[in-house]
Amino acid sequence: LTVLRELTDIIIKNPDISPSETLPDSDPSVFHKRYLKKMRDLGEGHFGKVTLYQYDPANDGTGERVAVKALKQENSQVLEGWMKEIDILKSLYHSNIVKYKGCCTELGGQVVQLIMEYLPLGSLKEYLPKCNLGRPHSLMFAHQICQGMEYLHSKRYIHRDLAARNVLVENESLVKIGDFGLTKYIPEGDIYYRVREEGDSPVFWYALECLKENKFSFASDVWSFGVTLYEILTCCVHRQSPQEKFREMTQDTREQMTVVVLIKLLEKQHRLPAPKNCPHEVKILMEQCWAADSAQRPSFKTLIEKFEAIRQ
Ligand code: ADP
Ligand code: MG
């Protein structure tokens, strides 16, 4: 308070110093485009492109590094979803969810860029093939993903795109869930969300009822977690990827791997194989996540308890 009083005194005595020049920006979530210096591309998915920038208002190379997500194309349809993605991320605070930092609006434009914390090791999909993760380490990551997901579900959001490519690595002992582009709110009392929009989807991560009826629920996120767990235990090696494994399951090699074929496989109780050296308890957990009846799947709360027991 004394500092403020002194500052006010100085300003009164020196009327040419205006507060806007002496005080830093009051809103730390407003990022100015002119201070963003591009460093490199980080990755891209269907709708977004993520780039590493240094935010350097002092212009002396000391600014912090941030990950900036922008839309790949800006038509009005994706724009609405984009603003929702930003609002959802803004409302989430959890150690296993990527942190929102702010926005950057291009001058005069309505298009907004999302500024997030930068996770130096990229997604699990890039990180895992490079390192030889031991079993306890893999289970620690799986446990952390469950903690982030349980928080998300407690806020009644479903992620709908949980996969290794959307889990980011902060350091060798911390992962965070990212990419809330498909996240939806489930109103109290409702149990699922039915998608209307067409377009390609991460089908090999989808539960049976998502493929058949477009019904997404807390339980369908659990199915996707099972596939993500499978990816972690196979170190995201391409040859063992869900796509490749489901393709191998179709006997007829000429048959195209379509959603119809995938549904047939899943209805015949075919599932991804247990990864090599997968502990029995973990194999059971994974299979429970892929129960055809969504009511039979565990919740993330139950999964957390199971991982705590297994990791003892
Ligand atoms: P999309 O919605 O287009 O799939 P994502 O948010 O999944 O976009 O980001 C695409 C890729 O960019 C990720 O798979 C990851 O490799 C990289 N990425 C995203 N966010 C970050 C971040 N905060 N730090 C480092 N890399 C990131
Ligand atoms: Mg993504």
Side-chain angles (χ1 to χ4, degrees), residues 8 30 34 94 196 265 281 285 293:
T8 316
V30 175
R34 61 183 181 279
H94 189 274
R196 275 166 241 280
L265 284 173
E281 313 102 282
L285 265 190
D293 175 5

Side-chain angles (χ1 to χ4, degrees), residues 40-52 66-70 72 82 85 98-99 114 116-126 161 164-169 178-182:
R40 65 183 168 92
D41 292 333
L42 289 173
E44 56 185 274
H46 266 305
F47 306 108
K49 183 173 187 321
V50 181
T51 312
L52 174 64
V66 291
V68 179
K69 184 165 178 176
K72 282 214 270 203
W82 176 231
E85 174 174 353
V98 66
K99 276 199 183 55
L114 165 66
M116 309 169 261
E117 61 174 335
Y118 164 57
L119 278 77
L121 300 174
S123 77
L124 279 179
K125 199 160 178 212
E126 290 125 19
D161 201 6
R165 63 182 173 275
N166 291 327
V167 176
L168 304 167
V169 186
D179 196 355
F180 293 83
L182 292 178

Side-chain angles (χ1 to χ4, degrees), residues 61-76:
T62 59
E64 63 171 340
R65 291 192 290 175
V66 291
V68 179
K69 184 165 178 176
L71 275 184
K72 282 214 270 203
Q73 359 118 315
E74 295 151 2
N75 56 56
S76 55

Side-chain angles (χ1 to χ4, degrees), residues 161-179:
D161 201 6
L162 185 57
R165 63 182 173 275
N166 291 327
V167 176
L168 304 167
V169 186
E170 164 90 43
N171 58 48
E172 60 175 23
S173 51
L174 182 60
V175 292
K176 300 186 180 194
I177 300 163
D179 196 355

Side-chain angles (χ1 to χ4, degrees), residues 126-137:
E126 290 125 19
Y127 178 73
L128 291 181
K130 288 183 282 187
C131 63
N132 196 5
L133 215 63
R135 194 65 66 225
H137 210 147

